[in-house]
Amino acid sequence: MATMKEQLFRVKPVPARGTEDDEHGLKRSIGLFPLTMIGVGGTIGTGIFFILSEAVPVAGPAVIWSFVIAAVVAGLSALCYAELAGSVPVSGSSYSYAYTTLGELPAMGVAACLLLEYGVSTAAVAVGWSQYVNQLLGNLFGFQLPEALSYAPEEGGIVNLPAVILILLCALLLISGTSHSAITNTIMVVIKISVLIFFVAVGLTGWNADHFADFAPFGLSGVMTGAGIIFFSFVGLDAVATAGDEAKNPRKNLPIAIISALVIVTVVYVLVAIAGLGAQEAEKFDGQSAGLSAILETIIGASWPGTIVAIGAVISIFSVTLVVLYGQTRILFAMSKDGMAPKIFQTVHPRTMTPVPNTIIVAVVVAILAGVLPINFLAEMTSIGTLAAFLVVSIAVMVLRRREPGLERSFTVPFYPVIPILSIIGCLWIIKDLRPITIIVFAVWTAVFLVWYFFTGRKNSVLGKELDTAAEVAAR
């Protein structure tokens, strides 16, 4: 019988090269371009269509640096993700990476981060969607949904109905098949990038350099707080890694897709932030609904540019919700295979080859969160979950380098170990500037999750049972 320490830190073996195509219940149907679009689709969305209204009031025009800092930290972490994705090409993202490097207990800590990160971020982007739906309804048909059906109770409403509907629509699409979802996402990503390029082009025509005169009214602290709020939008980079079991040639395509998505996202984010702040004073962003649409309507003096952006936002945020909901279900799928979640989460429909019960359960829970919680709380909770996951991935790279130096890696982090160390420092730097309530809620959630693991998951561990069986055979 293994000791307590051996149980808590037992490590899954790294899959041997060539075994990533073994039967595991899911179908490998996602190529390089759709994989990259999963990263872009899961990142560009509420983060730029909505979050300026949350981040500019705390950072001022220096929110541009908030985006850059968030992107740099995400970029450092993305390089670490790329190395692990090429070495451990399985679903589960940083949960699976932690399981193969740090052990079972740390992996469950990461799982707590990921479930918070994905579940809450799906709710957050869905909440932002409702504002642009109302903007679009107003421009096209002259009416909007009543506030009681458009906002959470804390914001003066009863339920955010559009957010609930969005999540249920995404769940139906995911249930229909992964390849269908990937194709739909790719189309939506192309549309939303085109709309954002349109925003930048029109926004620059309203350029006013005076808007940058008081560039950083809240100093470095404001910039870092802004980076913490913005960081939740980079969850899409992690979503690429959750597709490990469904990606074609994962050891090659996963690293390329992660890095390509980061470059595309960063360029788009910074250009949109510059154009938006050049066209509108920082003070007007506070509390502004459907901000990008409002900016263009002010510049042109007509509603049609805002309508185009609203259409792009509706499509864009649909894409983000789809990708992040997908990531949540695949993490639970990986945990279920390991015995860390109920078996229902790994049940795959024989026709669609998708985890249908898993998707339904996740959609219902997330829809409830989106319907009743405000976006500012959801955004910060997502940020700390994302940062914690990124931090663990950076540590895992260094552990795996030391433990298995001869492991074949299709991509290696450059300037090792400087990049992983800088990634860890960057994550901790942003975390320290989050609100105390965010950190407290995160700590309580993680502690409760680990208690559940100690009494339930530890005993049901598939790896633990395999090791115990092997030990009994060896002792005979």
Side-chain angles (χ1 to χ4, degrees), residues 292-307:
L292 299 191
S293 293
I295 290 172
L296 292 195
E297 289 181 7
T298 300
I299 293 173
I300 302 297
S303 63
W304 68 265
T307 301

Side-chain angles (χ1 to χ4, degrees), residues 30-274:
I30 308 176
L32 176 58
F33 185 69
L35 268 179
T36 304
M37 292 301 99
I38 285 176
V40 176
T43 306
I44 296 180
T46 302
I48 197 65
F49 281 102
F50 179 86
I51 208 64
L52 284 175
S53 300
E54 297 290 329
V56 172
V58 302
V63 75
I64 293 171
W65 284 114
S66 299
F67 274 105
V68 172
I69 290 171
V72 168
V73 175
L76 294 172
S77 301
L79 293 173
C80 297
Y81 263 99
E83 176 167 326
L84 290 177
S87 308
V88 190
V90 294
S91 65
S93 183
S94 45
Y95 157 75
S96 296
Y97 302 155
Y99 209 161
T100 58
T101 55
L102 305 177
E104 193 167 278
L105 178 65
M108 292 304 290
V110 173
C113 298
L114 290 174
L115 293 179
L116 179 71
E117 169 190 337
Y118 278 90
V120 177
S121 66
T122 306
V125 294
V127 169
W129 193 67
S130 66
Q131 293 191 6
Y132 281 96
V133 167
N134 263 337
Q135 174 84 11
L136 190 58
L137 289 174
N139 287 359
L140 292 178
F141 306 109
F143 78 92
Q144 295 185 347
L145 294 174
E147 289 191 3
L149 299 179
S150 303
Y151 293 95
E154 187 177 318
E155 299 172 315
I158 297 175
V159 64
N160 192 323
L161 184 60
V164 174
I165 292 173
L166 171 62
I167 291 168
L168 297 180
L169 289 174
C170 289
L172 289 174
L173 185 56
L174 288 173
I175 288 171
S176 70
T178 301
S179 59
H180 297 158
S181 302
I183 292 170
T184 303
N185 175 69
T186 299
I187 294 171
M188 289 191 289
V189 169
V190 171
I191 292 173
K192 69 181 173 183
I193 290 179
S194 300
V195 169
L196 288 173
I197 291 173
F198 169 77
F199 170 83
V200 172
V202 176
L204 290 176
T205 65
W207 181 268
N208 185 342
D210 292 340
H211 295 170
F212 297 91
D214 187 12
F215 187 70
F218 308 106
L220 180 62
S221 175
V223 173
M224 295 307 300
T225 301
I229 294 172
I230 289 166
F231 203 86
F232 91 96
S233 61
F234 284 92
V235 67
L237 299 176
D238 182 274
V240 178
T242 66
D245 273 347
E246 293 164 285
K248 298 177 181 177
N249 194 5
R251 292 183 185 272
K252 176 183 176 182
N253 288 342
L254 285 174
I256 296 174
I258 291 170
I259 295 172
S260 300
L262 172 70
V263 172
I264 294 170
V265 165
T266 302
V267 170
V268 172
Y269 273 8
V270 172
L271 287 177
V272 171
I274 291 173

Side-chain angles (χ1 to χ4, degrees), residues 311-352:
I311 292 172
V314 168
I315 294 172
S316 173
I317 297 172
F318 191 108
S319 171
V320 176
T321 308
L322 178 68
V323 170
V324 181
L325 192 66
Y326 165 83
Q328 174 80 302
T329 61
R330 273 28 179 200
I331 289 166
L332 284 167
F333 179 85
M335 291 176 64
S336 181
K337 289 200 303 179
D338 292 333
M340 299 299 163
K343 290 184 178 180
I344 191 172
F345 289 104
Q346 62 176 300
T347 302
V348 174
H349 192 279
R351 183 178 62 82
T352 63

